[in-house]
Amino acid sequence: GEAMKTKIQSSEYWKVVYVAPRSEKKVGNTLTLRGIENFVPIKREKRKWSDRWKWVEMPLISGYVFVKPDAQQRDRVLQVKSVLNYVRFNQADARVQDAEINALKSIQEKGYYVEIASENLKSGDRARIAYGPFKGLTGNVIKQHSETMITLIMDCIDIALRIKVPAEVLIKEKPQ
């Protein structure tokens, strides 16, 4: 009945919108001004300018902004300039796990630290991250030169994030 209509501040779920190229940060700022929770993961890159090196901040995932709208805000997100549409998955707005958002936030904030001895991981192995900010996330291992990378597949958007992690923090997953 009517009594059930309590105002929910934010949706329980993170969602994702497609945005026009190079508009990620602008969209994020506009959403923030309109009181809509959002997240634009940023990576810092060293770029060579004519006379010097300079740090620039780039979106980690170009073309996407993560949003956490309440029911009233869902359509308001679409009214923001440069927002194209929600990413859909199984006929509904794709949901992003908090763990995935937290991982992205950690990539941005913390970089990485190491605590345990390595297992022998081969490319293609499934591994779980055991320590540090990405603890608990699983992905496929990629060996590139001397670096160990792990690919986190975000199921809802067709994206594989490659995160450089020390081999020491990975634990091999037992096949299901």
Side-chain angles (χ1 to χ4, degrees):
E2 286 301 299
M4 292 305 288
K5 284 189 180 158
T6 51
K7 172 122 175 64
I8 301 165
Q9 278 313 306
S10 144
S11 138
E12 303 162 65
Y13 302 110
W14 283 95
K15 299 175 177 189
V16 202
V17 287
Y18 299 109
V19 299
R22 293 181 299 287
S23 67
E24 299 87 358
K25 293 202 288 196
K26 203 175 288 176
V27 166
N29 291 337
T30 305
L31 289 166
T32 299
L33 288 172
R34 296 187 186 179
I36 298 170
E37 192 176 351
N38 69 90
F39 175 50
V40 180
I42 297 294
K43 62 180 175 190
R44 297 187 71 215
E45 277 184 3
K46 235 178 175 175
R47 287 280 173 92
K48 183 114 176 76
W49 291 57
S50 53
D51 57 338
R52 65 190 189 286
W53 286 91
K54 190 175 169 182
W55 282 101
V56 292
E57 296 200 333
M58 306 286 295
L60 181 66
I61 307 172
S62 56
Y64 294 97
V65 171
F66 296 93
V67 292
K68 203 176 188 185
D70 64 25
Q72 283 76 38
Q73 292 169 336
R74 184 197 175 277
D75 292 338
R76 275 186 233 150
V77 171
L78 296 173
Q79 294 159 11
V80 172
K81 188 178 185 304
S82 301
V83 171
L84 307 176
N85 213 334
Y86 280 88
V87 175
R88 308 281 288 173
F89 186 73
N90 291 342
Q91 282 95 54
D93 293 343
R95 289 179 187 174
V96 181
Q97 304 305 312
D98 283 340
E100 293 171 317
I101 295 290
N102 292 340
L104 291 169
K105 288 184 174 173
S106 306
I107 293 172
Q108 194 169 299
E109 288 160 18
K110 299 195 182 73
Y112 225 94
Y113 64 87
V114 180
E115 297 184 23
I116 56 167
S118 159
E119 293 187 55
N120 275 326
L121 288 164
K122 298 186 298 298
S123 281
D125 283 348
R126 290 288 299 169
R128 182 165 50 82
I129 301 177
Y131 292 94
F134 311 132
K135 186 176 170 192
L137 289 167
T138 57
N140 290 323
V141 174
I142 317 162
K143 291 272 183 163
Q144 288 183 340
H145 317 296
S146 60
E147 293 177 337
T148 305
M149 318 264 288
I150 188 160
T151 308
L152 296 178
I153 305 295
M154 297 184 78
D155 293 324
C156 68
I157 37 185
D158 210 5
I159 277 186
L161 291 177
R162 294 195 166 180
I163 302 176
K164 263 181 224 165
V165 294
E168 293 82 37
V169 302
L170 295 174
I171 294 177
K172 196 164 170 175
E173 287 269 272
K174 308 289 173 276
Q176 295 302 322

mmCIF file of all heavy atoms in Angstrom, residues 15-32:
data_model
loop_
_atom_site.group_PDB
_atom_site.id
_atom_site.type_symbol
_atom_site.label_atom_id
_atom_site.label_comp_id
_atom_site.label_asym_id
_atom_site.label_seq_id
_atom_site.Cartn_x
_atom_site.Cartn_y
_atom_site.Cartn_z
ATOM 1 N N LYS A 15 25.414 0.801 -11.414
ATOM 2 C CA LYS A 15 25.088 0.530 -12.808
ATOM 3 C C LYS A 15 26.139 1.226 -13.670
ATOM 4 O O LYS A 15 27.016 1.901 -13.142
ATOM 5 C CB LYS A 15 23.691 1.068 -13.127
ATOM 6 C CG LYS A 15 22.599 0.410 -12.272
ATOM 7 C CD LYS A 15 21.244 1.037 -12.515
ATOM 8 C CE LYS A 15 20.192 0.299 -11.691
ATOM 9 N NZ LYS A 15 18.837 0.728 -12.045
ATOM 10 N N VAL A 16 26.007 1.067 -14.969
ATOM 11 C CA VAL A 16 26.993 1.656 -15.874
ATOM 12 C C VAL A 16 26.272 2.353 -17.013
ATOM 13 O O VAL A 16 25.311 1.800 -17.557
ATOM 14 C CB VAL A 16 27.891 0.583 -16.534
ATOM 15 C CG1 VAL A 16 29.203 1.198 -17.008
ATOM 16 C CG2 VAL A 16 28.158 -0.580 -15.609
ATOM 17 N N VAL A 17 26.737 3.543 -17.369
ATOM 18 C CA VAL A 17 26.211 4.193 -18.567
ATOM 19 C C VAL A 17 27.326 4.354 -19.592
ATOM 20 O O VAL A 17 28.497 4.522 -19.244
ATOM 21 C CB VAL A 17 25.573 5.585 -18.279
ATOM 22 C CG1 VAL A 17 24.235 5.420 -17.581
ATOM 23 C CG2 VAL A 17 26.500 6.481 -17.478
ATOM 24 N N TYR A 18 26.930 4.230 -20.875
ATOM 25 C CA TYR A 18 27.836 4.580 -21.965
ATOM 26 C C TYR A 18 27.839 6.097 -22.075
ATOM 27 O O TYR A 18 26.771 6.719 -21.996
ATOM 28 C CB TYR A 18 27.311 4.070 -23.315
ATOM 29 C CG TYR A 18 27.135 2.596 -23.458
ATOM 30 C CD1 TYR A 18 25.862 2.034 -23.503
ATOM 31 C CD2 TYR A 18 28.245 1.750 -23.613
ATOM 32 C CE1 TYR A 18 25.675 0.667 -23.672
ATOM 33 C CE2 TYR A 18 28.064 0.385 -23.788
ATOM 34 C CZ TYR A 18 26.790 -0.149 -23.817
ATOM 35 O OH TYR A 18 26.614 -1.487 -23.988
ATOM 36 N N VAL A 19 28.996 6.682 -22.300
ATOM 37 C CA VAL A 19 29.055 8.130 -22.514
ATOM 38 C C VAL A 19 29.861 8.425 -23.787
ATOM 39 O O VAL A 19 30.612 7.575 -24.264
ATOM 40 C CB VAL A 19 29.698 8.867 -21.308
ATOM 41 C CG1 VAL A 19 28.878 8.631 -20.044
ATOM 42 C CG2 VAL A 19 31.146 8.450 -21.097
ATOM 43 N N ALA A 20 29.661 9.625 -24.295
ATOM 44 C CA ALA A 20 30.391 10.034 -25.495
ATOM 45 C C ALA A 20 31.899 10.042 -25.208
ATOM 46 O O ALA A 20 32.314 10.242 -24.069
ATOM 47 C CB ALA A 20 29.925 11.422 -25.921
ATOM 48 N N PRO A 21 32.713 9.825 -26.242
ATOM 49 C CA PRO A 21 34.167 9.806 -26.047
ATOM 50 C C PRO A 21 34.671 11.073 -25.358
ATOM 51 O O PRO A 21 34.182 12.171 -25.637
ATOM 52 C CB PRO A 21 34.724 9.722 -27.468
ATOM 53 C CG PRO A 21 33.609 9.152 -28.284
ATOM 54 C CD PRO A 21 32.324 9.590 -27.627
ATOM 55 N N ARG A 22 35.618 10.897 -24.478
ATOM 56 C CA ARG A 22 36.285 11.993 -23.778
ATOM 57 C C ARG A 22 35.354 12.880 -22.959
ATOM 58 O O ARG A 22 35.651 14.035 -22.693
ATOM 59 C CB ARG A 22 37.105 12.856 -24.761
ATOM 60 C CG ARG A 22 38.292 12.084 -25.342
ATOM 61 C CD ARG A 22 39.133 12.918 -26.291
ATOM 62 N NE ARG A 22 38.411 13.396 -27.458
ATOM 63 C CZ ARG A 22 38.041 12.626 -28.493
ATOM 64 N NH1 ARG A 22 38.328 11.328 -28.484
ATOM 65 N NH2 ARG A 22 37.393 13.141 -29.516
ATOM 66 N N SER A 23 34.205 12.337 -22.562
ATOM 67 C CA SER A 23 33.294 13.146 -21.733
ATOM 68 C C SER A 23 33.156 12.564 -20.323
ATOM 69 O O SER A 23 32.339 13.044 -19.538
ATOM 70 C CB SER A 23 31.912 13.210 -22.387
ATOM 71 O OG SER A 23 31.307 11.926 -22.364
ATOM 72 N N GLU A 24 33.953 11.538 -20.006
ATOM 73 C CA GLU A 24 33.757 10.803 -18.747
ATOM 74 C C GLU A 24 33.796 11.722 -17.519
ATOM 75 O O GLU A 24 32.898 11.689 -16.676
ATOM 76 C CB GLU A 24 34.812 9.689 -18.592
ATOM 77 C CG GLU A 24 34.772 8.638 -19.684
ATOM 78 C CD GLU A 24 35.604 9.014 -20.922
ATOM 79 O OE1 GLU A 24 36.197 10.115 -20.951
ATOM 80 O OE2 GLU A 24 35.653 8.205 -21.860
ATOM 81 N N LYS A 25 34.858 12.531 -17.420
ATOM 82 C CA LYS A 25 35.007 13.362 -16.217
ATOM 83 C C LYS A 25 33.929 14.444 -16.139
ATOM 84 O O LYS A 25 33.395 14.729 -15.075
ATOM 85 C CB LYS A 25 36.415 13.971 -16.156
ATOM 86 C CG LYS A 25 37.494 12.892 -15.930
ATOM 87 C CD LYS A 25 38.793 13.409 -15.336
ATOM 88 C CE LYS A 25 39.621 14.214 -16.297
ATOM 89 N NZ LYS A 25 41.019 14.392 -15.852
ATOM 90 N N LYS A 26 33.586 15.014 -17.299
ATOM 91 C CA LYS A 26 32.555 16.052 -17.339
ATOM 92 C C LYS A 26 31.204 15.480 -16.885
ATOM 93 O O LYS A 26 30.480 16.100 -16.104
ATOM 94 C CB LYS A 26 32.453 16.606 -18.768
ATOM 95 C CG LYS A 26 31.872 17.989 -18.846
ATOM 96 C CD LYS A 26 31.921 18.538 -20.280
ATOM 97 C CE LYS A 26 33.355 18.903 -20.705
ATOM 98 N NZ LYS A 26 33.425 19.346 -22.119
ATOM 99 N N VAL A 27 30.868 14.284 -17.397
ATOM 100 C CA VAL A 27 29.623 13.627 -16.992
ATOM 101 C C VAL A 27 29.632 13.379 -15.483
ATOM 102 O O VAL A 27 28.650 13.649 -14.781
ATOM 103 C CB VAL A 27 29.405 12.303 -17.770
ATOM 104 C CG1 VAL A 27 28.308 11.455 -17.127
ATOM 105 C CG2 VAL A 27 29.070 12.598 -19.226
ATOM 106 N N GLY A 28 30.753 12.876 -14.974
ATOM 107 C CA GLY A 28 30.866 12.625 -13.532
ATOM 108 C C GLY A 28 30.622 13.889 -12.720
ATOM 109 O O GLY A 28 29.889 13.882 -11.726
ATOM 110 N N ASN A 29 31.236 15.000 -13.159
ATOM 111 C CA ASN A 29 31.057 16.270 -12.435
ATOM 112 C C ASN A 29 29.607 16.724 -12.456
ATOM 113 O O ASN A 29 29.067 17.175 -11.442
ATOM 114 C CB ASN A 29 31.938 17.368 -13.045
ATOM 115 C CG ASN A 29 33.417 17.105 -12.780
ATOM 116 O OD1 ASN A 29 33.756 16.400 -11.828
ATOM 117 N ND2 ASN A 29 34.286 17.650 -13.609
ATOM 118 N N THR A 30 28.952 16.607 -13.611
ATOM 119 C CA THR A 30 27.550 17.024 -13.723
ATOM 120 C C THR A 30 26.664 16.175 -12.819
ATOM 121 O O THR A 30 25.789 16.688 -12.115
ATOM 122 C CB THR A 30 27.065 16.899 -15.182
ATOM 123 O OG1 THR A 30 27.957 17.644 -16.020
ATOM 124 C CG2 THR A 30 25.658 17.444 -15.341
ATOM 125 N N LEU A 31 26.889 14.845 -12.822
ATOM 126 C CA LEU A 31 26.107 13.956 -11.968
ATOM 127 C C LEU A 31 26.291 14.326 -10.497
ATOM 128 O O LEU A 31 25.325 14.364 -9.721
ATOM 129 C CB LEU A 31 26.509 12.501 -12.206
ATOM 130 C CG LEU A 31 26.070 11.898 -13.545
ATOM 131 C CD1 LEU A 31 26.801 10.591 -13.818
ATOM 132 C CD2 LEU A 31 24.563 11.680 -13.581
ATOM 133 N N THR A 32 27.527 14.620 -10.116
ATOM 134 C CA THR A 32 27.805 14.999 -8.731
ATOM 135 C C THR A 32 27.040 16.271 -8.366
ATOM 136 O O THR A 32 26.409 16.351 -7.307
ATOM 137 C CB THR A 32 29.321 15.197 -8.523
ATOM 138 O OG1 THR A 32 29.974 13.952 -8.813
ATOM 139 C CG2 THR A 32 29.640 15.593 -7.085
#
